[in-house]
Amino acid sequence: MEKLYEGKAKILYPGAEAGTVRVYFKDEATAFNGQKRGEIAGKGAVNNQVSAALFRHLEAHGVPTHFVRELSEREMLVRRVEIVPLEVIVRNRAAGSFARRYGVEEGRVLPFPLVEFSYKNDALGDPLICEEAALALGLADREGLADIRALALRVNTLLGDYFARRGLELVDFKLEFGRLPEGRLVLADEISPDTMRLWEVGTGERMDKDRFRRDLGGVEEAYQEVLRRVLEEPKPV
Ligand code: UDP
């Protein structure tokens, strides 16, 4: 089957139904803008199933997404969208690039969930961008940015609660949004341990791609454990 696009972690193929795309999740892993490369056995299957479960949960709570259904262990069917060229990051604690950029210790709880935007542009290394610059470059309009911000914060509330019931803390995550042909904004891409930081409640153990980025070991095991938690019955908190 002819590929529509191949990225670092996924391959897109035309879907069997009009207006759809089949997403295949790979085991390949990259970090630091592609400077670090490797493979995480079973990652594709975990990311597909975690993303599917989270998209279903969000849809059930009123967040529109591109998700249609799972096709196999490693593949899902999604609606074809035009991706808004912004990476939308929500942070509950300082970590990663935020902690480095502002010289604060990783783990500091932020007084409110912070929304940041990066300009999706590989050649430029996805630079941080302020809302005014995004408007000036025509990446989105004011209403679009306001909608994206509100949806991202709603996703933070829903997923923060979802993971808390499974013994994991949602530290930060990255979202991408797209527009359906009729213009409606929907959540797109993936939501997986590649795109979220999840810390074990109590110990702070890293249960996400930081195990790969920082050579912490137990990478495959952490991904499998996140899938297990996502599929398990939630506990009351
Ligand atoms: N993230 C992502 N893709 C990116 C950059 C970041 O999915 O290209 C996610 C990352 O996994 C983390 C959050 O967004 O959950 C914030 O990442 P950060 O800006 O701290 O960058 P990093 O530490 O990954 O360089």
Side-chain angles (χ1 to χ4, degrees):
M1 179 65 98
E2 194 198 327
K3 292 173 191 175
L4 291 173
Y5 175 79
E6 179 160 4
K8 284 171 274 193
K10 300 186 286 295
I11 307 174
L12 308 186
Y13 299 95
E17 296 148 39
T20 64
V21 171
R22 177 164 58 95
V23 184
Y24 175 92
F25 287 76
K26 302 194 281 189
D27 283 351
E28 272 167 52
T30 62
F32 313 117
N33 262 312
Q35 289 168 51
K36 182 181 171 101
R37 289 171 178 277
E39 200 181 289
I40 302 172
K43 173 171 87 78
V46 169
N47 286 0
N48 178 47
Q49 292 171 71
V50 167
S51 290
L54 299 182
F55 282 140
R56 262 192 231 104
H57 181 74
L58 293 170
E59 284 276 358
H61 291 82
V63 176
T65 79
H66 71 159
F67 179 71
V68 179
R69 64 178 175 275
E70 275 178 271
L71 294 173
S72 72
E73 216 184 35
R74 283 180 180 269
E75 294 166 302
M76 64 168 67
L77 190 72
V78 303
R79 298 181 70 184
R80 193 188 275 242
V81 296
E82 193 178 325
I83 292 285
V84 177
L86 291 171
E87 295 196 339
V88 183
I89 292 170
V90 182
R91 302 181 186 272
N92 297 298
R93 289 185 188 255
S97 72
F98 182 90
R100 282 195 302 277
R101 190 185 316 130
Y102 300 119
V104 298
E105 79 286 10
E106 186 161 86
R108 182 198 285 194
V109 175
L110 299 171
F112 53 87
L114 185 102
V115 181
E116 268 180 3
F117 298 99
S118 293
Y119 176 26
K120 237 176 100 65
N121 184 315
D122 275 338
L124 299 177
D126 299 339
L128 188 70
I129 189 167
C130 67
E131 291 197 25
E132 286 289 296
L135 291 171
L137 294 175
L139 308 182
D141 59 18
R142 277 191 203 276
E143 196 193 347
L145 283 181
D147 291 348
I148 285 172
R149 172 181 286 279
L151 281 171
L153 289 171
R154 173 112 177 99
V155 169
N156 185 49
T157 302
L158 290 167
L159 294 189
D161 182 65
Y162 182 96
F163 282 110
R165 289 168 192 278
R166 290 163 172 85
L168 294 169
E169 183 180 337
L170 180 61
V171 169
D172 61 27
F173 57 94
K174 186 261 306 179
L175 300 176
E176 292 184 26
F177 291 87
R179 289 198 183 274
L180 293 170
E182 76 267 20
R184 197 159 68 98
L185 192 69
V186 296
L187 189 56
D189 195 49
E190 67 177 285
I191 314 176
S192 73
D194 273 9
T195 65
M196 293 181 277
R197 284 195 169 89
L198 295 168
W199 292 2
E200 181 78 56
V201 171
T203 65
E205 194 179 339
R206 294 347 190 221
M207 300 296 288
D208 53 60
K209 197 168 154 186
D210 274 347
R211 302 207 73 83
F212 169 78
R213 293 189 190 101
R214 303 176 186 188
D215 298 318
L216 299 177
V219 186
E220 280 84 2
E221 292 78 2
Y223 276 74
Q224 293 300 331
E225 180 60 17
V226 170
L227 176 60
R228 196 185 68 72
R229 301 272 184 106
V230 160
L231 298 180
E232 82 183 359
E233 277 303 308
K235 295 187 255 320
V237 277

